[in-house]
Amino acid sequence: MDALIKIDHVTVRYGTLKALDDFQLMIRKGEFLTIIGRSGCGKTTALRLINGLLMPDEGSVYVRGQNVASADLIRLRRSIGYAIQDVGLFPHMTVRDNVAYVPSLSGMWKKTESADRAAALLEMTGLDRSLLSRYPGELSGGQKQRVGIARALAAAPEILLMDEPFGAVDEITRRGLQTALLDLQKKLNITIVFVTHDISEAMLLGDRMLVMDAGKAIQLDEPEQIRKNPASPFVRELLGLKAD
Ligand SMILES: Nc1ncnc2c1ncn2[C@@H]1O[C@H](COP(=O)(O)OP(=O)(O)OP(=O)(O)O)[C@@H](O)[C@H]1O
Ligand SMILES: [Mg+2]
């Protein structure tokens, strides 16, 4: 198996609480992995290990075979896009400057080309280039989330980490965002790790789905396989199936 990301027997502690408890996960290159579980089960913690925002207390994390603990974190993060629920757009910058922020800083985009490249990314997420000169405060929630995706993709990352990125929008907008993201993933062939606590979203988007509970990986498989063979009563309940 082609493991692009490997989380190997990781424990993360906050005082006596184990946010992750001997947690293990291998993620394949090019796959769309969804992570599902209740609030507080450790989803965000798992995600933040991958781009080195958090270091394990025990165990190791490898990205492309390299231990994150000894990696150049700036380089690592440049290859990993990160999109979060409240988007975190810079309010005083236009949409164009938000999207172009990282690639301009790192010299990937020249000043003269940044408008066109930002526009191309916006269009990929289903937004019109006429929004380029707006400020985040002048956008709807769904538009902001699309800009957030465009920004996360701007540095052409090989890996995209998404933490409940579609949480704050209505159902119809959410479906539009899901479709846009699936299209993008096919087009760009990126590896996506997507955290959600919406089971239908996890099943729809994931090539594979990881079910977590209390800091542990409970079941990892294709959504259809998990639906057919839930590993425990907890997984059945999460799927909305009746217990035996
Ligand atoms: N900085 C911190 N200090 C202390 N405890 C923390 C800290 N960050 C997270 N935790 C705890 O670790 C556990 C896992 O947190 P995490 O953010 O990974 O959960 P989550 O699955 O992402 O939840 P949610 O669905 O609500 O976002 C929780 O019990 C949380 O309270
Ligand atoms: Mg979280």
Side-chain angles (χ1 to χ4, degrees):
M1 190 184 88
D2 207 1
L4 179 66
I5 300 163
K6 182 176 178 184
I7 301 181
D8 195 19
H9 293 285
V10 162
T11 296
V12 172
R13 287 195 192 85
Y14 292 109
T16 55
L17 173 89
K18 287 181 180 176
L20 292 178
D21 184 4
D22 197 25
F23 180 80
Q24 294 200 69
L25 176 62
M26 302 249 262
I27 301 171
R28 300 167 182 154
K29 189 170 164 45
E31 86 171 318
F32 198 134
L33 180 88
T34 50
I35 302 182
I36 175 96
R38 287 188 187 132
S39 183
C41 72
K43 304 181 295 296
T44 297
T45 305
L47 215 58
R48 290 162 65 88
L49 288 171
I50 298 170
N51 59 5
L53 282 173
L54 192 74
M55 292 294 165
D57 292 304
E58 285 165 38
S60 305
V61 180
Y62 302 89
V63 176
R64 284 176 227 100
Q66 191 190 18
N67 194 327
V68 170
S70 57
D72 173 345
L73 289 180
I74 291 172
R75 263 186 69 191
L76 178 78
R77 286 184 199 140
R78 220 173 263 164
S79 72
I80 302 181
Y82 189 40
I84 52 179
Q85 175 165 358
D86 56 14
V87 191
L89 297 176
F90 303 118
H92 58 288
M93 284 186 194
T94 62
V95 166
R96 182 187 61 211
D97 291 343
N98 265 285
V99 173
Y101 186 72
V102 172
S104 298
L105 261 189
S106 63
M108 258 176 84
W109 291 6
K110 291 190 206 93
K111 222 179 162 60
T112 50
E113 63 180 13
S114 76
D116 280 339
R117 298 190 71 154
L121 279 167
L122 275 194
E123 280 164 4
M124 265 199 228
T125 67
L127 286 180
D128 195 84
R129 63 155 64 217
S130 64
L131 298 181
L132 280 174
S133 55
R134 295 231 198 134
Y135 288 86
E138 302 167 337
L139 302 173
S140 74
Q143 287 170 335
K144 269 188 242 177
Q145 294 195 317
R146 287 177 198 258
V147 174
I149 296 172
R151 188 179 62 173
L153 290 171
E158 192 183 358
I159 299 167
L160 181 56
L161 307 178
M162 308 186 85
D163 197 346
E164 306 204 29
F166 308 152
V169 294
D170 64 86
E171 206 41 50
I172 293 173
T173 305
R174 193 180 178 111
R175 255 174 258 140
L177 288 163
Q178 290 166 342
T179 311
L181 183 62
L182 282 174
D183 284 351
L184 275 174
Q185 197 229 3
K186 277 199 208 96
K187 225 176 272 167
L188 305 177
N189 192 33
I190 39 182
T191 305
I192 299 185
V193 190
F194 186 105
V195 164
T196 176
H197 51 233
D198 177 337
I199 182 68
S200 49
E201 182 166 75
M203 297 199 59
L204 172 79
L205 295 178
D207 297 318
R208 291 193 304 161
M209 175 168 91
L210 171 71
V211 179
M212 289 184 64
D213 187 31
K216 287 193 175 283
I218 303 294
Q219 189 169 12
L220 171 63
D221 209 335
E222 292 164 14
E224 189 53 23
Q225 293 304 318
I226 294 185
R227 199 180 59 76
K228 281 191 197 144
N229 304 301
S232 68
F234 171 77
V235 180
R236 294 182 69 96
E237 196 193 319
L238 194 79
L239 293 172
L241 300 171
K242 284 211 187 83
D244 289 326

